Amino acid sequence: MTDRSAGGPWPVEIRVRRAERALEVDFDDGTSFRYPAELLRVESPSAEVQGHSPAQKVTLAGKRNVGITELEQVGNYAVRIIFDDGHSTGIYSWPVLYRLGHDRELIWAAYEAALAAKGLSR
């Protein structure tokens, strides 16, 4: 993780907390974020979840207990998270991870609202 061509804050340490179903990332600007695996799964940057436009985004239900089984580095710009439900196509770039951490409360509130609007549960 040394190529800084992507710009923005850069991760200096990434830890998977399997027992807690969480990922922790420390960035070089001094911020640290803890991401529940559920949040990462339901906000996966994959086309399967995000679609090809905002209108196509899928609201995933039933992911409360999803866990992280593995991380794979993707070049110097991202990680692929492999979840225990078999999902493995999301590539989480450093800017995506930073945004998910920074805006976590807003993203989570929107997710819960979408679930409620569709009569779904976590």
Side-chain angles (χ1 to χ4, degrees):
M1 291 186 254
T2 58
D3 176 16
R4 296 299 310 258
S5 61
W10 199 260
V12 292
E13 188 172 352
I14 300 174
R15 297 170 300 282
V16 175
R17 303 290 190 204
R18 284 182 181 81
E20 295 133 33
R21 295 186 179 105
L23 181 73
E24 296 174 344
V25 181
D26 299 335
F27 286 89
D28 64 1
D29 67 351
T31 57
S32 294
F33 299 114
R34 182 180 179 93
Y35 311 84
E38 180 183 8
L39 172 71
L40 293 168
R41 177 62 179 92
V42 302
E43 290 296 322
S44 172
S46 68
E48 173 188 334
V49 174
Q50 298 298 322
H52 297 286
S53 72
Q56 293 180 338
K57 183 174 181 184
V58 176
T59 303
L60 296 177
K63 298 300 178 183
R64 179 188 303 263
N65 296 314
V66 72
I68 297 169
T69 58
E70 188 177 346
L71 289 182
E72 295 176 353
Q73 189 164 341
V74 178
N76 288 317
Y77 66 93
V79 290
R80 178 187 323 273
I81 302 175
I82 296 145
F83 296 91
D84 61 9
D85 68 353
H87 182 72
S88 64
T89 58
I91 306 248
Y92 296 77
S93 68
W94 310 144
V96 165
L97 282 173
Y98 195 88
R99 180 188 60 80
L100 287 172
H102 185 267
D103 298 337
R104 176 180 164 183
E105 290 182 27
L106 292 171
I107 293 166
W108 190 253
Y111 171 62
E112 287 185 321
L115 286 173
K118 295 177 181 182
L120 302 172
S121 66
R122 294 178 45 220

